[in-house]
Amino acid sequence: MKRYLLIMISLLVAGVAEGQNGFNVPFSQFGIGESELPYNMPSVYGMGGVVYSRAARNTVNPFNPASYAAIEEESFVFDIGVNIQQSTLRKGDAKLADAAGDIAYLAIAFPLTKWWKTSVGIMPFSKVNYESVDSTFDPLSGSSVETIYSGGGGVTQVYWGNAFNITKNLSAGFNINYLFGNITRAITYNFVGNDTSYMMDKRSQKNTQVSNLLVDLGVQYRQPLNERYTLNTGFTCRLPRNMKVKDQSLVYTLVETTTDEYLIDTIFPARGADDIYNSSLEQPFTLGLGLALERNELWQVAVDAYYAPWSGLKYTENSDYSIFGQSALDYAPNWRVALGGEWMGDKNATSYWKRIGVRAGVYYNKGRLALDMTMNPTVGQKTALDEVGCGLGLALPMRKGRSVLNISLGYSSFGDIDLLRRNCFTVGLSVGSCERWFMKRKYN
């Protein structure tokens, strides 16, 4: 117990620290950042992102809280995953490559009673990390203007989930999710030229602090069709909620005087006003449905469907002064479909190779990010940026099959080549350790 608790605390601290780093993700400048859920878990994207109907005794599936009911009565499950990503950004003929690695998630699950199972975990909810420079020439002043966009931080999700065995084949559960984190963004206008005496550099900066609760509900049902086949179904929803976030903003001009000193003129907030104010986040009502056809715990084919009125949390700034101007972010409907198959391995086989599980899957995410490009006269229309991806995975049994080592490879393509496209390869490793902790020994 002490060993596992020490590992959990160490990885928790490392995970929060790693969440502040990573490669350049330009699309994370919108909303509260870019979310990779549910594709941050190696055991998930190895099967194309299928999550709603899946449950296992040696791994934790937080995307349907009813799945915790599969944890055995006398077991303690410790589940952790890490990812390494190789990303390439493309716009026309230009491209930029980068790589990063981080902890994907950390979760535990164990029984409270025969019919009540619980789970606690932590994972990244969204990430913000970008920096870009746009240079333009002002013919009136004869100088160039560098516009620097930068941002960092992110939001972390900690959840507490519970599942209940209603009947032998029916389970239901809920997650209480706590979101917390800080996001910093800035836009700097820097005049560069021979004579910039009458040109004032300007900087707008904002820090957004998130601290909110969300609730997920889930149901899973297993219906035997005959002696060989079983139909597994899963249903989840996230309850809608209007939330508040705390913003702290500052807008000022910066002028260099003849004495090589700088004069700062604050534009926002006004003299005597507070630079801290509350903005809003709106969580829509989301739905997820999964179906899986399973044969004798040997193989299964599964499909997932997800719908939300918009992707992610809707951020609205409640300030009389627009810190960064009008945003191009447009909240359009978000659909996701995933199809996956899995050979679970023959658990009764004497050969280790026959007990290895193999997974594969594909997914399509429509409207993951929508931009109102009518603000740009060269485009003149609204653009919905979709995502397609696929994955492969291996499940290597350990400790007589009670624990499992998951190795996954994923690929995704997100965006538009004329605007910006991100192609990403992900290699993931996760360990689901299932130990017997609650057995009562009959003999000493």
Side-chain angles (χ1 to χ4, degrees):
M1 173 70 80
K2 293 180 180 179
R3 179 183 60 184
Y4 279 107
L5 290 177
L6 180 61
I7 294 175
M8 287 177 59
I9 294 173
S10 301
L11 292 176
L12 175 61
V13 174
V16 173
E18 285 290 338
Q20 308 303 318
N21 301 315
F23 45 63
N24 194 355
V25 186
F27 289 129
S28 66
Q29 65 183 290
F30 300 107
I32 62 167
E34 187 175 83
S35 174
E36 297 181 350
L37 298 174
Y39 307 110
N40 60 322
M41 300 183 69
S43 60
V44 171
Y45 63 77
M47 198 172 166
V50 174
V51 290
Y52 300 126
S53 61
R54 296 179 64 186
R57 66 180 184 179
N58 51 15
T59 56
V60 180
N61 176 18
F63 304 106
N64 189 338
S67 64
Y68 312 142
I71 303 299
E72 294 179 333
E73 295 178 13
E74 301 168 343
S75 298
F76 180 93
V77 177
F78 179 87
D79 197 359
I80 182 174
V82 295
N83 289 324
I84 299 176
Q85 293 181 315
Q86 171 67 44
S87 176
T88 302
L89 300 175
R90 293 181 178 273
K91 182 179 181 181
D93 296 330
K95 67 177 182 179
L96 174 67
D98 205 348
D102 59 10
I103 296 176
Y105 67 97
L106 173 65
I108 61 172
F110 53 90
L112 295 177
T113 67
K114 292 183 179 180
W115 49 271
W116 180 7
K117 316 296 173 59
T118 191
S119 176
V120 179
I122 184 172
M123 66 187 70
F125 183 83
S126 69
K127 295 182 180 180
V128 176
N129 190 41
Y130 64 93
E131 183 173 357
S132 61
V133 179
D134 183 22
S135 297
T136 57
F137 180 75
D138 184 3
L140 296 178
S141 63
S143 61
S144 298
V145 182
E146 288 185 346
T147 305
I148 305 172
Y149 305 88
S150 60
V155 178
T156 301
Q157 173 180 324
V158 175
Y159 77 88
W160 174 48
N162 294 272
F164 308 94
N165 296 98
I166 308 300
T167 66
K168 179 180 178 181
N169 297 323
L170 176 64
S171 63
F174 67 89
N175 279 346
I176 298 177
N177 308 288
Y178 174 59
L179 308 182
F180 67 96
N182 286 281
I183 300 171
T184 59
R185 291 188 171 95
I187 300 180
T188 304
Y189 301 94
N190 184 26
F191 289 86
V192 181
N194 295 327
D195 184 11
T196 59
S197 301
Y198 301 98
M199 302 299 160
M200 295 183 294
D201 295 344
K202 178 183 176 182
R203 179 178 175 86
S204 302
Q205 62 188 44
K206 180 197 296 185
N207 180 75
T208 301
Q209 182 179 350
V210 179
S211 178
N212 300 106
L213 292 175
L214 295 175
V215 177
D216 298 329
L217 304 177
V219 176
Q220 286 188 339
Y221 180 70
R222 294 174 56 88
Q223 176 60 55
L225 301 179
N226 52 40
E227 295 181 355
R228 294 183 177 180
Y229 295 97
T230 303
L231 181 64
N232 301 325
T233 59
F235 172 80
T236 66
C237 68
R238 172 159 285 182
L239 301 182
R241 187 162 186 260
N242 292 322
M243 302 169 287
K244 299 295 183 182
V245 294
K246 183 178 294 184
D247 281 336
Q248 184 176 20
S249 301
L250 180 64
V251 181
Y252 60 90
T253 58
L254 188 65
V255 181
E256 184 176 1
T257 64
T258 55
T259 58
D260 293 332
E261 296 180 352
Y262 290 93
L263 178 64
I264 297 178
D265 182 17
T266 301
I267 300 176
F268 178 89
R271 183 182 300 272
D274 195 350
D275 62 344
I276 300 177
Y277 54 92
N278 289 326
S279 294
S280 63
L281 284 179
E282 186 178 354
Q283 168 64 48
F285 183 78
T286 66
L287 297 174
L289 177 65
L291 297 173
L293 180 64
E294 178 184 325
R295 177 175 176 178
N296 291 348
E297 296 187 354
L298 289 177
W299 58 262
Q300 67 170 330
V301 178
V303 61
D304 272 8
Y306 168 89
Y307 169 75
W310 61 80
S311 178
L313 299 177
K314 181 185 291 187
Y315 170 79
T316 304
E317 184 180 56
N318 296 332
S319 172
D320 296 333
Y321 185 93
S322 182
I323 306 301
F324 294 139
Q326 184 179 356
S327 174
L329 183 60
D330 184 38
Y331 293 94
N334 178 218
W335 297 82
R336 184 175 71 240
V337 178
L339 174 65
E342 177 181 20
W343 168 259
M344 301 178 184
D346 187 354
K347 298 178 179 57
N348 299 320
T350 57
S351 172
Y352 177 81
W353 300 106
K354 293 183 179 180
R355 291 189 283 120
I356 294 177
V358 181
R359 306 183 180 110
V362 295
Y363 70 89
Y364 174 64
N365 195 345
K366 180 175 178 56
R368 174 178 167 184
L369 182 66
L371 300 178
D372 186 358
M373 303 308 295
T374 56
M375 301 169 55
N376 187 344
T378 62
V379 179
Q381 63 181 3
K382 294 185 178 183
T383 302
L385 301 181
D386 304 333
E387 181 182 29
V388 295
C390 59
L392 296 172
L394 292 176
L396 307 178
M398 303 185 301
R399 297 181 63 85
K400 298 181 180 181
R402 292 188 55 80
S403 300
V404 63
L405 172 67
N406 294 299
I407 302 175
S408 299
L409 174 65
Y411 169 79
S412 64
S413 180
F414 171 48
D416 184 270
I417 191 66
D418 295 328
L419 183 62
L420 185 66
R421 174 173 292 173
R422 175 190 174 192
N423 297 323
C424 185
F425 287 95
T426 304
V427 178
L429 178 69
S430 68
V431 177
S433 177
C434 182
E435 304 286 346
R436 291 191 179 273
W437 279 20
F438 305 102
M439 292 183 62
K440 294 182 179 180
R441 299 184 182 273
K442 295 183 179 181
Y443 302 98
N444 293 326

